[in-house]
Amino acid sequence: MGLINPEPERRDDALTSQSQDRHLHVEFDLKAADHQLEVDAPRLQQVFWNVFRNAYKFSALDGAISVRSHNLNPETIVIEIADNGLGIDAAFIEKNLRRVRAS
């Protein structure tokens, strides 16, 4: 287990530079009091990059991506990455979640 505590400047630069060629607006609203997590850092970073890449890939030109965080309570952090793309069909999500649950 490791700690994730991203350097805001590096994070913002990386996400913003990824989105410039598609003219995507990336907005950060990080309200969580503490962004340090004791987790499998490489795995969580991979998950975040995959979600961000999907948001990037499926957003229309001149679209928007938002990255938000907040604390539900002192020991819980919520991190949301959202875009204004087409989204995923509900039947597709249910089918794939069924496969994950069966594993």
Side-chain angles (χ1 to χ4, degrees):
M1 293 291 177
L3 290 176
I4 287 186
N5 188 11
E7 299 169 36
E9 297 78 23
R10 281 187 52 210
R11 176 208 60 227
D12 295 353
D13 289 347
L15 296 179
T16 302
S17 66
Q18 286 275 319
S19 62
Q20 285 177 342
D21 61 331
R22 303 234 7 230
H23 304 282
L24 298 175
H25 173 71
V26 180
E27 180 180 332
F28 296 94
D29 184 19
L30 306 177
K31 294 182 178 171
D34 189 357
H35 284 90
Q36 280 197 339
L37 306 171
E38 193 170 330
V39 297
D40 179 348
R43 176 63 113 189
L44 187 58
Q45 184 174 4
Q46 178 186 11
V47 168
F48 287 150
W49 275 114
N50 287 344
V51 172
F52 181 76
R53 279 191 205 109
N54 283 340
Y56 167 85
K57 184 175 173 182
F58 295 108
S59 290
L61 290 175
D62 298 315
I65 298 172
S66 64
V67 181
R68 296 183 297 271
S69 72
H70 63 276
N71 296 103
L72 288 178
N73 59 54
E75 296 183 13
T76 304
I77 184 172
V78 175
I79 301 170
E80 302 171 343
I81 300 174
D83 64 76
N84 63 349
L86 294 175
I88 302 172
D89 184 83
F92 179 83
I93 292 172
E94 181 57 35
K95 177 182 171 185
N96 285 290
L97 284 178
R98 216 180 356 247
R99 274 193 247 158
V100 170
R101 287 184 198 124
S103 315

